[in-house]
Short mmCIF file of all heavy atoms in Angstrom, two decimals:
data_model
loop_
_atom_site.label_atom_id
_atom_site.label_comp_id
_atom_site.label_asym_id
_atom_site.label_seq_id
_atom_site.Cartn_x
_atom_site.Cartn_y
_atom_site.Cartn_z
N VAL B 233 -30.40 20.91 -34.42
CA VAL B 233 -29.65 20.03 -35.38
C VAL B 233 -30.17 18.61 -35.44
O VAL B 233 -29.92 17.89 -36.39
CB VAL B 233 -28.11 20.04 -35.06
CG1 VAL B 233 -27.51 21.42 -35.27
CG2 VAL B 233 -27.84 19.50 -33.65
N ARG B 246 -28.20 10.76 -34.74
CA ARG B 246 -28.00 10.95 -36.20
C ARG B 246 -27.40 12.29 -36.53
O ARG B 246 -27.50 12.73 -37.66
CB ARG B 246 -29.36 10.77 -36.91
CG ARG B 246 -29.82 9.39 -36.96
CD ARG B 246 -28.87 8.52 -37.76
NE ARG B 246 -29.59 7.42 -38.41
CZ ARG B 246 -29.02 6.61 -39.34
NH1 ARG B 246 -27.75 6.84 -39.73
NH2 ARG B 246 -29.69 5.65 -39.86
N HIS B 247 -26.81 12.91 -35.55
CA HIS B 247 -26.04 14.19 -35.78
C HIS B 247 -24.76 14.06 -35.00
O HIS B 247 -24.74 13.60 -33.86
CB HIS B 247 -26.84 15.39 -35.37
CG HIS B 247 -26.22 16.68 -35.85
ND1 HIS B 247 -25.12 17.26 -35.24
CD2 HIS B 247 -26.46 17.43 -36.93
CE1 HIS B 247 -24.76 18.33 -35.90
NE2 HIS B 247 -25.54 18.46 -36.95
N PRO B 248 -23.63 14.47 -35.65
CA PRO B 248 -22.32 14.36 -34.99
C PRO B 248 -22.28 15.05 -33.64
O PRO B 248 -21.60 14.57 -32.72
CB PRO B 248 -21.38 15.00 -35.97
CG PRO B 248 -22.03 14.80 -37.29
CD PRO B 248 -23.48 14.95 -37.05
N TYR B 249 -22.98 16.15 -33.44
CA TYR B 249 -22.96 16.87 -32.21
C TYR B 249 -23.67 16.03 -31.12
O TYR B 249 -23.17 15.89 -30.01
CB TYR B 249 -23.55 18.25 -32.33
CG TYR B 249 -23.63 19.00 -31.01
CD1 TYR B 249 -22.44 19.37 -30.35
CD2 TYR B 249 -24.82 19.31 -30.42
CE1 TYR B 249 -22.49 20.02 -29.15
CE2 TYR B 249 -24.89 19.96 -29.19
CZ TYR B 249 -23.72 20.31 -28.57
OH TYR B 249 -23.80 20.96 -27.37
N GLY B 283 -21.53 28.11 -43.76
CA GLY B 283 -21.34 26.63 -43.65
C GLY B 283 -22.04 26.03 -42.42
O GLY B 283 -22.78 26.73 -41.69
N CYS B 284 -21.84 24.75 -42.23
CA CYS B 284 -22.34 24.08 -41.01
C CYS B 284 -21.57 24.63 -39.85
O CYS B 284 -20.35 24.64 -39.79
CB CYS B 284 -22.13 22.55 -41.12
SG CYS B 284 -22.53 21.77 -39.56
N ARG B 285 -22.31 25.09 -38.83
CA ARG B 285 -21.70 25.71 -37.67
C ARG B 285 -20.87 24.74 -36.84
O ARG B 285 -20.09 25.19 -35.98
CB ARG B 285 -22.82 26.33 -36.77
CG ARG B 285 -23.46 27.50 -37.37
CD ARG B 285 -22.48 28.68 -37.29
NE ARG B 285 -23.19 29.91 -37.48
CZ ARG B 285 -22.61 31.15 -37.35
NH1 ARG B 285 -21.33 31.17 -37.05
NH2 ARG B 285 -23.31 32.21 -37.53
N PHE B 286 -21.06 23.48 -37.02
CA PHE B 286 -20.31 22.50 -36.18
C PHE B 286 -19.04 22.08 -36.88
O PHE B 286 -18.25 21.29 -36.29
CB PHE B 286 -21.23 21.31 -35.93
CG PHE B 286 -20.67 20.35 -34.86
CD1 PHE B 286 -20.37 20.83 -33.60
CD2 PHE B 286 -20.50 19.03 -35.17
CE1 PHE B 286 -19.86 19.95 -32.63
CE2 PHE B 286 -20.00 18.13 -34.20
CZ PHE B 286 -19.66 18.61 -32.95
N ARG B 287 -18.74 22.54 -38.11
CA ARG B 287 -17.69 21.87 -38.90
C ARG B 287 -16.29 21.98 -38.31
O ARG B 287 -15.47 21.08 -38.54
CB ARG B 287 -17.75 22.36 -40.34
CG ARG B 287 -17.30 23.78 -40.61
CD ARG B 287 -17.56 24.12 -42.07
NE ARG B 287 -17.13 25.45 -42.42
CZ ARG B 287 -17.70 26.59 -42.03
NH1 ARG B 287 -18.73 26.54 -41.19
NH2 ARG B 287 -17.24 27.77 -42.45
N THR B 288 -15.99 23.05 -37.57
CA THR B 288 -14.64 23.16 -37.00
C THR B 288 -14.38 22.08 -35.94
O THR B 288 -13.21 21.87 -35.55
CB THR B 288 -14.40 24.55 -36.35
OG1 THR B 288 -15.45 24.75 -35.42
CG2 THR B 288 -14.42 25.64 -37.40
N ARG B 289 -15.44 21.45 -35.45
CA ARG B 289 -15.25 20.48 -34.36
C ARG B 289 -15.69 19.09 -34.81
O ARG B 289 -15.65 18.16 -33.97
CB ARG B 289 -16.08 20.93 -33.15
CG ARG B 289 -15.95 22.38 -32.82
CD ARG B 289 -16.90 22.82 -31.73
NE ARG B 289 -16.43 22.39 -30.41
CZ ARG B 289 -17.16 22.62 -29.28
NH1 ARG B 289 -18.36 23.18 -29.35
NH2 ARG B 289 -16.66 22.26 -28.15
N CYS B 290 -16.03 18.93 -36.04
CA CYS B 290 -16.74 17.71 -36.45
C CYS B 290 -15.79 16.71 -37.08
O CYS B 290 -14.99 17.06 -37.95
CB CYS B 290 -17.79 18.06 -37.48
SG CYS B 290 -18.75 16.61 -38.00
N ARG B 291 -15.87 15.47 -36.68
CA ARG B 291 -14.97 14.48 -37.21
C ARG B 291 -15.51 13.82 -38.49
O ARG B 291 -14.80 13.05 -39.08
CB ARG B 291 -14.67 13.36 -36.18
CG ARG B 291 -15.83 12.54 -35.74
CD ARG B 291 -15.41 11.64 -34.58
NE ARG B 291 -16.45 10.70 -34.22
CZ ARG B 291 -16.46 9.44 -34.63
NH1 ARG B 291 -15.54 8.98 -35.48
NH2 ARG B 291 -17.41 8.62 -34.25
N TYR B 292 -16.74 14.20 -38.89
CA TYR B 292 -17.30 13.68 -40.16
C TYR B 292 -17.19 14.70 -41.27
O TYR B 292 -17.61 14.45 -42.39
CB TYR B 292 -18.77 13.33 -39.99
CG TYR B 292 -19.04 12.22 -39.03
CD1 TYR B 292 -19.33 12.51 -37.67
CD2 TYR B 292 -19.00 10.88 -39.45
CE1 TYR B 292 -19.58 11.48 -36.76
CE2 TYR B 292 -19.27 9.86 -38.55
CZ TYR B 292 -19.55 10.17 -37.21
OH TYR B 292 -19.84 9.16 -36.34
N ARG B 293 -16.58 15.82 -40.97
CA ARG B 293 -16.59 16.96 -41.93
C ARG B 293 -16.12 16.57 -43.31
O ARG B 293 -15.11 15.86 -43.51
CB ARG B 293 -15.66 18.02 -41.37
CG ARG B 293 -15.47 19.17 -42.22
CD ARG B 293 -14.45 20.13 -41.60
NE ARG B 293 -14.32 21.31 -42.41
CZ ARG B 293 -13.63 22.39 -42.01
NH1 ARG B 293 -13.06 22.42 -40.84
NH2 ARG B 293 -13.58 23.43 -42.80
N ILE B 294 -16.83 17.04 -44.35
CA ILE B 294 -16.41 16.86 -45.75
C ILE B 294 -16.47 18.22 -46.41
O ILE B 294 -16.80 19.23 -45.77
CB ILE B 294 -17.37 15.90 -46.49
CG1 ILE B 294 -18.84 16.35 -46.29
CG2 ILE B 294 -17.16 14.49 -46.02
CD1 ILE B 294 -19.80 15.56 -47.15
N ASP B 296 -18.54 19.46 -48.55
CA ASP B 296 -19.88 19.97 -48.59
C ASP B 296 -20.25 20.79 -47.37
O ASP B 296 -21.21 21.58 -47.38
CB ASP B 296 -20.86 18.81 -48.64
CG ASP B 296 -21.19 18.40 -50.09
OD1 ASP B 296 -20.60 19.04 -51.00
OD2 ASP B 296 -21.98 17.48 -50.26
N CYS B 297 -19.57 20.57 -46.28
CA CYS B 297 -19.92 21.20 -44.99
C CYS B 297 -19.68 22.68 -45.01
O CYS B 297 -20.09 23.39 -44.10
CB CYS B 297 -19.19 20.53 -43.83
SG CYS B 297 -19.55 18.76 -43.84
N GLU B 298 -19.06 23.20 -46.08
CA GLU B 298 -18.96 24.66 -46.25
C GLU B 298 -20.31 25.26 -46.55
O GLU B 298 -20.49 26.48 -46.53
CB GLU B 298 -17.96 25.05 -47.37
CG GLU B 298 -16.49 24.60 -47.06
CD GLU B 298 -15.97 25.17 -45.73
OE1 GLU B 298 -16.20 26.34 -45.45
OE2 GLU B 298 -15.39 24.39 -44.93
N ARG B 299 -21.26 24.41 -46.98
CA ARG B 299 -22.67 24.84 -47.13
C ARG B 299 -23.44 24.37 -45.91
O ARG B 299 -23.25 23.19 -45.48
CB ARG B 299 -23.30 24.17 -48.33
CG ARG B 299 -22.86 24.67 -49.69
CD ARG B 299 -23.68 23.98 -50.78
NE ARG B 299 -23.56 22.53 -50.79
CZ ARG B 299 -24.55 21.69 -50.44
NH1 ARG B 299 -25.74 22.14 -50.09
NH2 ARG B 299 -24.34 20.39 -50.49
N ASN B 300 -24.32 25.21 -45.41
CA ASN B 300 -25.13 24.83 -44.29
C ASN B 300 -26.06 23.67 -44.68
O ASN B 300 -26.72 23.74 -45.66
CB ASN B 300 -25.99 26.05 -43.86
CG ASN B 300 -26.43 25.93 -42.43
OD1 ASN B 300 -26.03 25.05 -41.70
ND2 ASN B 300 -27.27 26.89 -42.04
N PRO B 301 -26.04 22.57 -43.96
CA PRO B 301 -26.85 21.43 -44.38
C PRO B 301 -28.33 21.69 -44.22
O PRO B 301 -28.77 22.39 -43.30
CB PRO B 301 -26.43 20.31 -43.38
CG PRO B 301 -25.91 21.05 -42.21
CD PRO B 301 -25.29 22.33 -42.68
N THR B 312 -32.56 15.44 -39.00
CA THR B 312 -31.19 15.81 -38.68
C THR B 312 -30.71 16.83 -39.67
O THR B 312 -31.09 16.79 -40.85
CB THR B 312 -30.24 14.60 -38.65
OG1 THR B 312 -28.93 15.10 -38.43
CG2 THR B 312 -30.28 13.78 -39.91
N ALA B 313 -29.88 17.74 -39.24
CA ALA B 313 -29.30 18.76 -40.11
C ALA B 313 -27.84 18.46 -40.33
O ALA B 313 -26.95 19.04 -39.66
CB ALA B 313 -29.51 20.17 -39.58
N CYS B 314 -27.54 17.47 -41.16
CA CYS B 314 -26.16 17.07 -41.36
C CYS B 314 -26.02 16.45 -42.75
O CYS B 314 -26.84 15.63 -43.17
CB CYS B 314 -25.73 16.09 -40.32
SG CYS B 314 -24.08 15.39 -40.64
N HIS B 315 -24.96 16.82 -43.50
CA HIS B 315 -24.75 16.25 -44.83
C HIS B 315 -24.36 14.76 -44.69
O HIS B 315 -24.66 13.98 -45.60
CB HIS B 315 -23.56 16.95 -45.52
CG HIS B 315 -23.85 18.36 -45.88
ND1 HIS B 315 -24.91 18.71 -46.71
CD2 HIS B 315 -23.29 19.49 -45.51
CE1 HIS B 315 -24.90 20.06 -46.85
NE2 HIS B 315 -23.94 20.57 -46.10
N GLU B 316 -23.73 14.41 -43.61
CA GLU B 316 -23.20 13.06 -43.52
C GLU B 316 -23.98 12.20 -42.51
O GLU B 316 -23.46 11.24 -41.95
CB GLU B 316 -21.70 13.16 -43.01
CG GLU B 316 -20.77 13.68 -44.08
CD GLU B 316 -20.50 12.66 -45.15
OE1 GLU B 316 -19.64 11.79 -44.96
OE2 GLU B 316 -21.15 12.76 -46.23
N TRP B 317 -25.26 12.50 -42.32
CA TRP B 317 -26.03 11.87 -41.26
C TRP B 317 -26.01 10.34 -41.37
O TRP B 317 -26.08 9.64 -40.35
CB TRP B 317 -27.44 12.39 -41.24
CG TRP B 317 -28.24 12.06 -42.44
CD1 TRP B 317 -28.36 12.81 -43.58
CD2 TRP B 317 -29.07 10.92 -42.65
NE1 TRP B 317 -29.16 12.20 -44.49
CE2 TRP B 317 -29.62 11.04 -43.93
CE3 TRP B 317 -29.37 9.80 -41.88
CZ2 TRP B 317 -30.47 10.08 -44.49
CZ3 TRP B 317 -30.23 8.87 -42.41
CH2 TRP B 317 -30.78 9.00 -43.69
N VAL B 320 -23.34 8.70 -39.28
CA VAL B 320 -23.27 8.98 -37.87
C VAL B 320 -23.93 7.86 -37.04
O VAL B 320 -24.98 7.34 -37.43
CB VAL B 320 -23.92 10.33 -37.50
CG1 VAL B 320 -23.83 10.63 -36.00
CG2 VAL B 320 -23.33 11.46 -38.31
S1 SF4 C 403 -22.80 18.91 -41.89
FE1 SF4 C 403 -20.69 18.31 -42.00
S2 SF4 C 403 -19.65 19.50 -40.42
FE2 SF4 C 403 -21.84 19.65 -40.06
S3 SF4 C 403 -22.27 18.04 -38.57
FE3 SF4 C 403 -22.63 17.13 -40.57
S4 SF4 C 403 -20.66 16.23 -41.21
FE4 SF4 C 403 -20.26 17.58 -39.47
#
Side-chain angles (χ1 to χ4, degrees):
Chain B
V233 294
R246 286 298 209 169
H247 191 281
Y249 177 64
C284 172
R285 288 287 197 174
F286 191 56
R287 69 187 184 289
T288 53
R289 313 174 78 183
C290 182
R291 66 188 186 95
Y292 296 94
R293 177 184 183 170
I294 52 172
D296 271 0
C297 304
E298 296 305 314
R299 285 186 301 111
N300 203 7
T312 174
C314 173
H315 293 299
E316 290 286 278
W317 65 271
V320 181

